[in-house]
Amino acid sequence: MTSQTHIIELSKKSLEILDNFRKQLNVEDEHYQTLVSAITTSPLLTERFNLAVENKYLTGLKAQSPNENAGGGFHPDTREISLPLNSLTENANKNSMIFVLAHEIQHSFNHQETQNATDRFLRDIQTQAQQSGIHDYTDEIQVLITANRKDEASAEIAGFNAVISATKSETTNLSLEDLYDSTPYMHDFINENKTDIGYSYSLKPNLILNKDMMLSTTTEDLPKNLEAMGRHYFDKSREETRLGYCEPDIGCKPNDFVDYTNYYATWMVGQIIDAERRHNPDSKEPLVLDMQKLKLTEEMLEENGLFIEDRKPMPYKDIGQNPPFVGRFDHTYDGEKHHSWIPVHQENRTGKPAEQADNAPTKAEALLAKY
C-alpha cells in the first residue's frame, strides 16, 4: 500500500544545477535520470537539496575522481558535491544514493560551523608555535577533530532520515529489518542478530527515534544522537571505514585505508609542521603530540597523503608512549612515495630523528615490526 505523501518538486535553481551536471564529461543520461529519481523519491531530500541550493551552500555536482575511495564528497572550496558515476546506474541501490546525497548536503549546511572551528585551529597553532619551550599541539588537533566528528555524525543522521522519508513514501509499514535491507549504510544504525529461528534487528545503542521512525533532532535528543553516531560511525576502525587513496586501475589494498580521525588529521598535521617551520626554522626540538590520545598513527597519516609545504621531513615526539617515541613525518602527498608510509629505523627510539635508509623495510615488514 502506498502512503499519501506531500509532493515536493525540485526548484528551478536545483534543476539548473542538475542540468549542468548532465552536461559534464562522462556523465550520461542514465546517470542524470538516476540522480533525479533518487532526489525526488525522498521528499525530505528534495526539500534539503532545494534549501541548500537556495542558500548557496551547494553550487554544483560533479563526477568523482576514480582514485577516490568514497561514496561521495562535499568540497567546501567550490561548494560542490562529487559522486561516483558507478553509483548512478539503473542497477545501483537508489536508497544508497539517497543516503549519500543527504549526507553530503548536510555537510554543506554544517560548513560555516566547521569552518569557524578550522579558523580557530589555524589561529591556535600559530600561537602555540610562537610560545617558548615545548610545542604540544595535542589540544589544538583534539578540538578540531571533535568538530569534524560532530559534522560527520550530523551528516549520518541526515542520511538516515532521508532514506526513511523515501521509504515511507512507498509503504506505511516500516520495520528495522526493512531498513537494514534497504541499503548497507543502514548497518551503521541497526544491528542484525542471528537467533535460533532466524534474525532479529535492533537499533544500535543510545539512538533515539521519533514515532515516524526518523532519528530525533529535537534540542534534547540531538546531542545524544550526535554522540551515538560519533561512536557508531566516526570512531570505526580503518577496516570498517575504508577511506583512502586508491591507485588508478589497481584499487585499494588493505593498508591503504585510514579511519576518519587520521583522514581529517592529515591536513592538520601538515599545517602544524608549516607553522613550526615558519616560526622556528632553526629549532632542533621536535613538535609534540600525544598520538595515543588523538588516536593517530604515522602510518595512516602518511598513507593518506601528508602535505608538507617545503617537502622536508619533520621530527615529532609522541608523548603518549612511555618512554616517548620520536618519529618523523614525511611529505607523501605527491612524488615517488606519494600516499605511502615511509617508516624509519628502530634506533629512532633513541630520541633522535632518523634518516630513511636505502634498505628500508617494505610496508608489510614495517607493520610486522611495529605491531
Side-chain angles (χ1 to χ4, degrees):
M1 177 179 177
T2 302
S3 62
Q4 297 298 317
T5 305
H6 178 62
I7 298 175
I8 301 176
E9 296 183 349
L10 287 164
S11 67
K12 181 180 178 181
K13 291 181 180 178
S14 293
L15 290 171
E16 289 175 356
I17 282 180
L18 289 163
D19 191 52
N20 288 335
F21 174 71
R22 185 183 204 170
K23 297 173 183 177
Q24 292 175 22
L25 184 66
N26 297 325
V27 175
E28 300 177 1
D29 188 63
E30 177 188 18
H31 302 136
Y32 169 80
Q33 297 294 347
T34 303
L35 178 57
V36 172
S37 177
I39 297 172
T40 55
T41 297
S42 172
L44 178 59
L45 177 56
T46 308
E47 179 182 343
R48 297 294 282 175
F49 192 95
N50 285 340
L51 189 58
V53 172
E54 180 64 30
N55 290 325
K56 298 182 179 179
Y57 300 152
L58 175 63
T59 62
L61 302 167
K62 63 181 181 180
Q64 186 169 278
S65 170
N67 60 10
E68 290 183 57
N69 189 50
F74 173 67
H75 304 267
D77 51 341
T78 60
R79 300 187 183 185
E80 294 177 300
I81 289 176
S82 61
L83 299 168
L85 294 181
N86 60 11
S87 69
L88 293 173
T89 62
E90 293 179 356
N91 296 326
N93 186 318
K94 182 185 290 187
N95 283 320
S96 292
M97 180 45 56
I98 290 170
F99 186 97
V100 168
L101 271 170
H103 178 111
E104 301 305 335
I105 287 171
Q106 185 61 39
H107 281 315
S108 77
F109 280 92
N110 297 344
H111 170 57
Q112 190 56 59
E113 181 179 353
T114 307
Q115 185 61 52
N116 291 342
T118 302
D119 292 342
R120 174 186 172 184
F121 166 81
L122 291 172
R123 291 194 300 270
D124 288 350
I125 64 172
Q126 299 300 321
T127 301
Q128 181 69 245
Q130 296 176 73
Q131 291 181 354
S132 59
I134 296 173
H135 296 161
D136 184 347
Y137 293 92
T138 303
D139 289 345
E140 287 80 359
I141 289 183
Q142 186 66 71
V143 169
L144 186 50
I145 286 291
T146 299
N148 294 143
R149 187 174 184 264
K150 178 183 176 183
D151 179 26
E152 289 291 350
S154 171
E156 282 290 282
I157 292 171
F160 181 94
N161 287 344
V163 172
I164 297 294
S165 174
T167 310
K168 285 175 70 67
S169 69
E170 298 176 348
T171 179
T172 56
N173 299 313
L174 280 181
S175 68
L176 291 180
E177 180 178 1
D178 294 331
L179 294 174
Y180 186 89
D181 293 337
S182 67
T183 167
Y185 289 108
M186 286 300 186
H187 300 179
D188 288 329
F189 305 84
I190 301 167
N191 288 323
E192 180 183 61
N193 308 295
K194 190 173 183 179
T195 68
D196 293 337
I197 58 174
Y199 292 91
S200 65
Y201 298 84
S202 59
L203 202 64
K204 285 188 180 288
N206 301 317
L207 289 174
I208 303 170
L209 291 183
N210 294 325
K211 291 181 179 179
D212 62 2
M213 297 290 285
M214 291 194 182
L215 284 167
S216 177
T217 57
T218 65
T219 302
E220 180 181 358
D221 294 340
L222 182 57
K224 299 173 184 177
N225 277 336
L226 287 171
E227 176 54 33
M229 285 318 302
R231 291 199 301 273
H232 300 317
Y233 180 68
F234 192 92
D235 296 348
K236 290 194 301 185
S237 68
R238 64 192 293 186
E239 291 79 13
E240 296 173 292
T241 303
R242 297 178 69 84
L243 287 168
Y245 174 88
C246 301
E247 288 288 351
D249 303 322
I250 296 177
C252 277
K253 296 171 290 185
N255 290 337
D256 290 336
F257 297 131
V258 300
D259 58 28
Y260 264 108
T261 300
N262 284 270
Y263 176 81
Y264 277 107
T266 302
W267 175 83
M268 301 177 205
V269 170
Q271 293 298 308
I272 287 169
I273 293 171
D274 293 343
E276 277 291 306
R277 290 269 161 75
R278 186 177 306 112
H279 296 291
N280 307 291
D282 301 320
S283 175
K284 304 300 181 183
E285 292 296 320
L287 62 88
V288 174
L289 293 171
D290 188 332
M291 299 281 277
Q292 277 60 46
K293 180 179 179 180
L294 294 170
K295 300 178 181 178
L296 302 182
T297 72
E298 178 187 322
E299 176 207 347
M300 279 194 276
L301 293 169
E302 293 184 357
E303 287 280 1
N304 195 44
L306 178 58
F307 184 86
I308 301 176
E309 186 72 35
D310 61 7
R311 270 68 171 174
K312 296 178 181 178
M314 175 61 124
Y316 70 92
K317 180 181 287 186
D318 176 11
I319 59 173
Q321 300 190 40
N322 187 19
F325 167 71
V326 176
R328 188 191 70 200
F329 291 126
D330 289 272
H331 175 84
T332 61
Y333 184 81
D334 51 21
E336 183 182 354
K337 298 289 186 179
H338 74 94
H339 296 87
S340 298
W341 179 34
I342 306 177
V344 293
H345 283 309
Q346 285 297 312
E347 57 262 31
N348 201 35
R349 290 186 176 275
T350 62
K352 297 180 180 180
E355 293 299 323
Q356 180 69 24
D358 293 335
N359 60 346
T362 64
K363 182 193 298 183
E365 292 170 336
L367 279 171
L368 287 172
K370 187 170 184 178
Y371 297 108

